[in-house]
């Protein structure tokens, strides 16, 4: 089984987290340009991937389909939402929240979150990801993660990313992106599902992107994480410039 097919077969559950509900969405979502702004495109062996900044409400149908299929409710809205289109079809969304002292993870992990802030960590949260695994999952997810971490680090000054994941997928996050767990498994109050809090140093992630980003076609010595599927660091100035144009800040 290939890496792509293995990733696509992972069945993920709430709480709201990256790689949420990776199951097939049967009905195609139309490619509506009026509710989104282009950030970057990737021409790949799997086809054209386009990452767009979604406006309020854009992509909501995909999110509702994925969450409803698992019997979960949508969490509160994100501050920024990115969407990935593959061959003209919306196949994935990822939300970012800026920390103002009350992220979604505070509900189930208040002591752990307070401890991070007491250490002076500048936090952000990735959430509300829905994905259709019939697309090129690794390329889509790596593209979304790269744009999201650039925005969080350069615009918000975030230093650490936090997520809540189902305990069954803790090993996946550690292996593919080196997320680190915090505390014990808890019941996610909003959705009634078990959750584990995990974090990733954005400086560490950036170092891995410098080492492996854009090397997915280089077999020798390539990491078996998601980092080879990220953009090259040579692409980052252009990515930051586009993010600055769309979200109104200095690159």
């Amino acid at each position: 089984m290939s890496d792509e097919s293995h990733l696509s077969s992972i069945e993920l559950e709430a709480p709201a987290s990256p790689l949420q509900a990776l199951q097939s969405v049967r009905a195609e979502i139309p490619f509506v340009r009026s509710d989104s702004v282009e950030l970057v495109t990737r021409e790949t062996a799997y086809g054209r991937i386009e990452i767009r900044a979604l406006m309020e409400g854009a992509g909501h149908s995909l999110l509702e389909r994925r969450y409803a299929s698992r019997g979960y409710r949508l969490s509160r809205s994100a501050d920024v939402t990115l969407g990935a289109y593959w061959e003209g079809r919306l196949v994935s969304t990822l939300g970012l929240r800026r920390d103002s002292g009350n992220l979604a993870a505070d509900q189930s992990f208040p002591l752990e979150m307070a401890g991070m802030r007491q250490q002076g960590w500048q936090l952000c949260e990735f959430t509300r990801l829905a994905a259709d695994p019939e697309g090129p999952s690794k390329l889509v997810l790596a593209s979304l993660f790269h744009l999201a971490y650039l925005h969080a680090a350069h615009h918000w000054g975030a230093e650490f990313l936090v997520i809540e994941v189902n305990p069954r997928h803790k090993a996946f996050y550690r292996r593919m992106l080196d997320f680190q767990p915090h505390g014990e498994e808890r019941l996610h109050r909003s959705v009634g599902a078990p959750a584990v809090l995990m974090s990733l140093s954005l400086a560490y992630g950036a170092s891995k992107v410098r080492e492996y980003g854009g090397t997915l076609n280089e077999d020798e010595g390539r990491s078996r994480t998601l980092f080879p599927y990220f953009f090259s660091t040579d692409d980052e100035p252009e990515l930051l410039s586009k993010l600055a144009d769309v979200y109104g800040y200095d690159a």
Side-chain angles (χ1 to χ4, degrees):
M1 182 177 291
S2 69
D3 287 346
E4 283 289 347
S5 60
H6 174 72
L7 181 63
S8 297
S9 69
I10 295 175
E11 182 182 296
L12 296 156
E13 301 178 353
S17 68
L19 307 180
Q20 181 70 269
L22 284 176
Q23 297 181 28
S24 178
V25 181
R26 299 302 178 189
E28 291 192 357
I29 307 299
F31 187 25
V32 181
R33 292 184 177 271
S34 61
D35 58 7
S36 61
V37 179
E38 178 187 328
L39 291 170
V40 64
T41 60
R42 302 183 79 170
E43 299 294 343
T44 76
Y46 298 95
R48 179 185 176 91
I49 298 171
E50 186 172 358
I51 308 300
R52 301 180 70 86
L54 302 185
M55 303 298 104
E56 184 67 27
H60 200 76
S61 177
L62 178 60
L63 283 164
E64 287 184 331
R65 287 172 182 271
R66 296 309 335 120
Y67 280 57
S69 72
R70 303 301 300 163
Y72 304 129
R73 297 185 300 273
L74 282 173
S75 55
R76 62 188 177 90
S77 61
D79 296 318
V80 168
T81 303
L82 304 178
Y85 292 82
W86 175 54
E87 293 295 288
R89 184 164 64 96
L90 180 62
V91 294
S92 188
T93 62
L94 172 63
L96 297 78
R97 294 196 185 105
R98 186 176 188 174
D99 187 23
S100 59
N102 184 28
L103 293 171
D106 283 288
Q107 296 182 38
S108 300
F109 299 92
L111 295 179
E112 290 81 358
M113 294 292 288
M116 293 180 192
R117 294 187 182 102
Q118 287 170 5
Q119 294 182 65
W121 292 14
Q122 298 298 313
L123 304 177
C124 69
E125 185 174 56
F126 283 12
T127 186
R128 304 190 84 192
L129 192 144
D132 178 356
E134 293 181 356
S137 301
K138 283 189 173 183
L139 280 165
V140 165
L141 291 168
S143 301
L144 285 171
F145 270 56
H146 201 157
L147 268 292
Y149 107 72
L150 285 176
H151 177 85
H154 288 266
H155 184 33
W156 292 342
E159 299 170 321
F160 286 84
L161 157 66
V162 295
I163 60 172
E164 297 173 86
V165 303
N166 189 288
R168 290 187 298 138
H169 309 300
K170 181 171 72 173
F172 172 83
Y173 281 90
R174 295 197 70 166
R175 183 178 72 253
M176 299 302 289
L177 287 162
D178 207 19
F179 275 91
Q180 301 301 308
H182 294 271
E184 301 297 324
E185 176 183 326
R186 307 280 171 78
L187 181 68
H188 192 280
R189 299 175 184 176
S190 297
V191 297
V196 172
L197 179 67
M198 305 189 80
S199 73
L200 176 68
S201 162
L202 294 183
Y204 173 83
S207 73
K208 290 299 180 182
V209 172
R210 287 193 297 271
E211 185 175 2
Y212 296 113
T215 66
L216 65 95
N217 294 320
E218 301 172 12
D219 292 331
E220 186 175 354
R222 179 164 64 90
S223 169
R224 296 187 66 81
T225 67
L226 274 181
F227 291 110
Y229 295 82
F230 280 58
F231 295 96
S232 166
T233 52
D234 292 340
D235 298 319
E236 288 189 343
E238 183 176 351
L239 298 177
L240 285 167
S241 177
K242 190 63 178 180
L243 285 166
D245 289 343
V246 171
Y247 293 106
Y249 59 89
D250 295 331

